[in-house]
Amino acid sequence: MEQVPPTEAAALLAQARRVVVFTGAGISAESGVPTFRDDLTGLWARFDATQLATPEAFHADPDLVWGWYEWRRARVRRARPNPGHLATAAIESLCPDTVLVTQNVDDLHERAGSRSPVHLHGSLFAPRCIGAGAHPAALSEPVEDEPADPGEGARIPPPRCAHCGWLVRPGVVWFGEALPEAALTAAVEAAAGCDVLLTVGTSGVVYPAAEIPLIAARRGAAVIQVNPEPTPLDDVSAVNLRGTAAQVLPALVAAARSAPR
Ligand code: BJW
């Protein structure tokens, strides 16, 4: 287990021409946004994914699903980017050819200053109409910046699209749904062409997103992993930094800034 300061990882990052940063729920954990699969605190330890995060669940009980996402949206709105998000944005300055690919549906990377993260699993802040074409929802009421927290069991009827009258759904990717094509293509291309892929705070078990670090490794990129726990990505990682994003990433960026380039 390598300890901070992460000398080898910093040298790899400092010398890289093209970098992909691939993030999961763990990077937002220190902002107070729960992960999915952590034993006690993860969302799937307390909620049933099949009743909340599938198209069938929304069809069966739209009020339950919409209420759950409104509760999560309110939590994310109250959260602030942590030093891990800020360090990720700093990597974009250190290496201008950096592509940030995130599985997260929060907006903490954007609020930390990252330019245009590729969101593989959509966004809590881009509701869609369930009608033909799944276009962005036309809402008669604007989405509130600071929504009231409805509480965790709230049932809230989803709004109807002002354009066509169909129900509005959360703009996230549920189990069994295809990922947004443009985002997946951008992520695969970036992974296939990078020298270094830095994976942060993901369990690496949800596909096809989990293919992204594997593609980079197969193409010869050095994979650096930041995670307090072991994951299936340990095997493809040149360096495993066991620690939290908010601890490890600022130290990694500081060390990369002073490493030979
Ligand atoms: C820290 C930390 C700190 C904690 N610092 N780190 C191949 C094999 C098996 C199954 C499949 C397969 N291919 C497809 C499937 C099915 C399925 C799947 O992958 N299932 C597996 C889980 C078994 N995939 C799908 O259904 C996908 N769609 C699909 O395949 O479509 C096919 C299709 C094609 C064409 C037409 C139609 C269909 C869609 C997957 C969608 C995933 N959606 C979710 C919910 C999003 C909405 C919402 O937020 O509600 O996405 S599930 C959830 O998991 C969320 C996440 O983005 C995703 C990944 O989780 P993540 O980010 O890795 O979080 P955790 O909690 O798992 O891990 C956190 C990590 O952080 C841990 O390692 C901690 O140790 C660490 N950590 N504190 C750093 N402070």
Side-chain angles (χ1 to χ4, degrees), residues 106-202:
D106 65 46
D107 61 349
L108 293 173
H109 279 307
E110 285 88 341
R111 284 197 267 148
S114 281
R115 281 190 300 268
S116 40
V118 175
H119 280 275
L120 287 179
H121 291 160
S123 163
L124 286 172
F125 302 98
R128 295 203 308 268
C129 175
I130 64 165
H135 57 81
L139 297 171
S140 48
E141 301 286 328
V143 175
E144 288 173 59
D145 274 350
E146 297 286 344
D149 185 343
E152 78 173 46
R155 304 176 63 83
I156 304 175
R160 293 208 169 255
C161 179
H163 178 65
C164 53
W166 285 95
L167 283 184
V168 169
R169 57 160 283 178
V172 301
V173 180
W174 285 323
F175 286 111
E177 292 189 311
L179 276 58
E181 201 178 320
L184 186 57
T185 302
V188 168
E189 284 176 359
C194 69
D195 313 307
V196 167
L197 183 141
L198 175 63
T199 173
V200 184
T202 179

Side-chain angles (χ1 to χ4, degrees), residues 41-105:
T41 54
L43 289 170
W44 298 156
R46 300 169 52 219
F47 300 99
D48 181 351
T50 61
Q51 288 183 18
L52 293 161
T54 65
E56 294 77 17
F58 185 70
H59 183 70
D61 196 342
D63 298 11
L64 178 72
V65 173
W66 186 261
W68 191 64
Y69 279 94
E70 283 296 276
W71 168 68
R72 287 181 52 202
R73 196 163 69 85
R75 280 194 75 156
V76 167
R77 266 290 170 242
R78 286 199 306 270
R80 297 288 169 260
N82 69 55
H85 297 106
L86 297 170
T88 301
I91 291 172
E92 294 175 29
S93 312
L94 197 67
C95 177
D97 200 345
T98 295
V99 177
L100 171 57
V101 178
T102 186
Q103 298 164 86
N104 297 347
V105 297

